[in-house]
Amino acid sequence: PVVCFNAVMQQSLVFTDLDGTLLDDRYDLAGAADALDQVHAMGAVAIPVSSKTRAEMLLLRRHQRHPTPFVFENGAGIDWGDAQHWAPEMSTMPSGMTLHGLGYAQLCQRLIRLRNELDINFSGFSELSAEKVAELTKLSLVDAGLAKRRTASEPLVWLDDQQSVAKLKQALAKHDLLLQKGGRFYTATSLRQKNDAVSEIITLLNQQSWRPRRVIVCGDSPNDLSMLALADMALLFSDTVSDHGDTPGLRKRMKEYLMNAANPPEVLEVNGAGHESWLTAIDSSLSDLTQN
């Protein structure tokens, strides 16, 4: 559904995770891009925030009629794009790409060294063929190749022993690195998380004449919690076909985390994933805003 343009909606800013939220197992980029464009038609600005690579997310942007910035690799980078038409009444805004944290080659070298020192079993995407990544992620071979084009984060496979996870997490922390849990894998990253990139964008907008009246954040997994906690309204998605395992228990723990945040957001649970469920939830959230 497309809601008519409204001045209140115009001041709404939506940040959304992709896998398990805007995207489901169909991996329908055209449908996802159309949903983002419909939010634009409502007068709001929707910005994707994902653990995906820049190369993967550029495919989504190419489907959009109204491209927006996007955050990639769990906050390590922001691609602002070259056109400055994604939010109204802006003056000076960044363009191009910004990157933070350790370079990819250095990160991979450090992980291999820690794996040997700690005697932990895991492999990073850099060590796997595109065929193996496709098998593990259920992506096409082409998309798996794009998933391997990383700049600042490394997904780890076969890291499924909690004692090993704890050891690696502690060792990475000594090097100012994080181990974050996403939908399918743990990912090693810099200390910068999704919330850091989201905060950077909000701060930049607040310095302009366009200031978001309401911030809506959509996510489904633990690595989304940091940005969900920044929301006025947090949309907590859960797919019926989930890679998280104990989905009800996970969502309960995530809700408790958000309720104990410094400024607890309003939390709305969304059953399902994919662009249809996502758009319905956003439409409802924006409609509620105009009625309050």
Side-chain angles (χ1 to χ4, degrees):
V2 177
V3 178
C4 294
F5 184 89
N6 181 286
V8 175
M9 292 180 179
Q10 184 185 14
Q11 297 176 16
S12 297
L13 187 58
V14 179
F15 294 96
T16 182
D17 176 50
L18 294 184
D19 290 331
T21 305
L22 178 58
L23 293 171
D24 57 15
D25 286 347
R26 294 170 298 173
Y27 207 69
D28 185 352
L29 293 180
D34 183 65
L36 293 170
D37 286 329
Q38 290 202 52
V39 171
H40 177 88
M42 295 174 189
V45 176
I47 297 178
V49 183
S50 178
S51 61
K52 290 185 179 299
T53 65
R54 178 173 180 264
E56 291 177 282
M57 297 187 72
L58 281 172
L59 284 183
L60 175 63
R61 178 185 279 171
R62 288 174 191 143
H63 285 283
Q64 290 178 262
R65 295 186 301 277
H66 303 285
T68 57
F70 59 74
V71 177
F72 59 94
E73 295 191 44
N74 282 330
I78 302 176
D79 189 311
W80 296 95
D82 296 320
Q84 305 294 311
H85 305 301
W86 54 275
E89 301 177 18
M90 296 186 305
S91 53
T92 303
M93 295 292 286
S95 61
M97 180 181 67
T98 56
L99 272 175
H100 303 266
L102 203 61
Y104 185 56
Q106 293 174 290
L107 175 62
C108 292
Q109 290 169 6
R110 188 155 295 171
L111 284 166
I112 291 171
R113 188 161 59 246
L114 288 174
R115 179 177 63 191
N116 294 333
E117 290 175 1
L118 300 172
D119 192 25
I120 294 175
N121 176 48
F122 65 80
S123 293
F125 270 26
S126 63
E127 302 173 283
L128 304 179
S129 66
E131 289 79 5
K132 190 63 181 179
V133 172
E135 176 189 334
L136 292 167
T137 60
K138 305 175 186 175
L139 294 171
S140 70
L141 190 58
V142 171
D143 290 336
L146 297 177
K148 280 175 56 64
R149 290 172 56 180
R150 314 198 71 81
T151 56
S153 66
E154 180 71 326
L156 307 178
V157 300
W158 304 302
L159 182 64
D160 49 16
D161 171 62
Q162 288 306 305
Q163 185 176 1
S164 297
V165 168
K167 285 170 61 177
L168 182 58
K169 187 176 290 188
Q170 184 177 25
L172 287 170
K174 294 177 181 178
H175 296 278
D176 293 329
L177 297 169
L178 284 175
L179 190 64
Q180 300 188 64
K181 183 67 169 70
R184 288 188 174 97
F185 310 114
Y186 284 95
T187 300
T189 69
S190 69
L191 286 179
R192 187 174 165 91
Q193 300 181 68
K194 288 183 176 182
N195 66 301
D196 296 303
V198 168
S199 294
E200 181 179 337
I201 294 171
I202 292 173
T203 298
L204 205 59
L205 286 172
N206 280 330
Q207 293 170 352
Q208 307 293 317
S209 55
W210 192 85
R211 293 179 175 85
R213 174 178 170 180
R214 193 179 213 195
V215 175
I216 299 170
V217 182
C218 309
D220 74 311
S221 60
N223 69 350
D224 298 322
L225 279 171
S226 64
M227 69 170 183
L228 285 163
L230 297 176
D232 298 308
M233 174 176 280
L235 303 187
L236 201 53
F237 286 71
S238 65
D239 200 348
T240 52
V241 182
S242 175
D243 290 302
H244 297 319
D246 178 21
T247 301
L250 173 65
R251 187 151 71 169
K252 180 181 178 182
R253 292 191 296 274
M254 290 179 69
K255 284 181 65 178
E256 289 173 350
Y257 176 93
L258 294 172
M259 289 171 60
N260 291 315
N263 295 294
E266 180 183 354
V267 178
L268 175 66
E269 296 183 48
V270 182
N271 292 315
H275 60 273
E276 300 96 341
S277 297
W278 182 88
L279 186 58
T280 298
I282 295 296
D283 182 15
S284 176
S285 300
L286 293 176
S287 297
D288 288 346
L289 179 58
T290 64
Q291 296 167 10
N292 294 332

